[in-house]
Amino acid sequence: MIKVFLVDDHEIVRRGLSDLLDAQRDMEVVGEAATIHHALRRIEATAPHVAVIDVRLPDGSGIDLCRDIRSRAPEVACMMLTAYDDDEAVNASVLAGAAGYALKNVDGTRLVSAVRAVAQGRSAMSPSVVHRATESLRQRADDNDPRMGALGLRERQILRLIADGLTNRQIGECLGIAEKTVKNYVSSLLSKLGLERRTQAVIFQIEHPRD
């Protein structure tokens, strides 16, 4: 049974999605929330396989919520849902680790198929969407950025893994080091690059793929 959590500030949208997904033999809606604050607490309690998230929420961005979920509970796949066809939102969703992105006018059959896909660990984002997102970032690149030279080998390795969407825990497992050590490396590389947020580090790496 695929457990799904819904995050949307419009009750009528949540009700429609709930009716659609609960009608599937292999799906169950285990919780709903209208805000980021309530979603984080409820997702921890209900342990869904998939979170379907509105891009725009009253207390912040659904993309930031996706990033928080992927950091705290990487086993939860995120499917972004929006009423707006926005290239910036698509790009940000890719960087935040979302496994799917769909407009609210998508037909029910396609949405159900997308939820199944992300629950199975597959991407419901077309390769063209991912390619477009990464190419738009690479076009801004400055291949001679001296900041990259300030990073040590381990910091470069961790930067690449962050860009691949891995959490600190997963990076530690990949490199055979403690999660706390990874956290220290992340803080160090952010400082050396003059960045404040993990998302900025992802963008930096995508902009400098050959460094």
Side-chain angles (χ1 to χ4, degrees):
M1 185 68 70
I2 299 171
K3 297 189 294 182
V4 183
F5 193 97
L6 306 176
V7 187
D8 196 292
D9 58 325
H10 294 101
E11 182 183 357
I12 192 69
V13 173
R14 297 198 308 272
R15 186 175 300 176
L17 289 171
S18 183
D19 289 346
L20 171 68
L21 299 175
D22 274 336
Q24 311 304 311
R25 292 184 176 180
D26 59 340
M27 294 186 185
E28 176 189 9
V29 175
V30 295
E32 301 178 11
T35 65
I36 292 173
H37 177 69
H38 289 125
L40 285 172
R41 291 191 304 170
R42 294 287 296 138
I43 286 172
E44 286 185 2
T46 56
H49 299 107
V50 179
V52 178
I53 306 169
D54 189 1
V55 169
R56 300 185 181 185
L57 294 167
D59 56 341
S61 167
I63 294 168
D64 288 336
L65 173 60
C66 169
R67 187 177 301 109
D68 285 344
I69 292 170
R70 296 295 298 156
S71 177
R72 298 184 186 193
E75 68 278 6
V76 179
C78 294
M79 174 88 188
M80 307 308 299
L81 197 61
T82 180
Y84 308 95
D85 190 4
D86 181 347
D87 279 353
E88 285 300 317
V90 174
N91 294 351
S93 296
V94 171
L95 295 176
Y101 188 98
L103 296 177
K104 287 185 177 178
N105 62 3
V106 67
D107 66 74
T109 300
R110 291 184 62 185
L111 182 61
V112 168
S113 296
V115 171
R116 286 198 182 103
V118 301
Q120 295 165 2
R122 295 183 284 119
S123 174
M125 285 202 187
S126 68
S128 63
V129 166
V130 176
H131 178 74
R132 186 176 68 193
T134 54
E135 283 303 308
S136 70
L137 292 168
R138 283 174 180 166
Q139 286 173 6
R140 307 171 195 169
D142 174 7
D143 290 334
N144 297 314
D145 194 316
R147 290 177 294 173
M148 185 63 82
L151 300 184
L153 176 60
R154 181 67 87 186
E155 289 167 332
R156 290 187 184 217
Q157 289 177 319
I158 290 174
L159 179 59
R160 293 190 189 100
L161 294 173
I162 290 173
D164 287 339
L166 274 65
T167 64
N168 287 352
R169 186 193 321 162
Q170 292 169 325
I171 292 172
E173 292 173 353
C174 180
L175 298 179
I177 58 179
E179 183 177 354
K180 184 177 180 180
T181 303
V182 175
K183 186 176 180 180
N184 291 337
Y185 274 121
V186 172
S187 296
S188 174
L189 71 87
L190 288 177
S191 176
K192 289 180 179 180
L193 296 176
L195 306 176
E196 297 179 358
R197 301 177 59 189
R198 194 183 185 92
T199 309
Q200 293 173 313
V202 173
I203 294 172
F204 183 89
Q205 174 62 27
I206 292 175
E207 288 178 340
H208 301 78
R210 290 174 291 177
D211 290 331

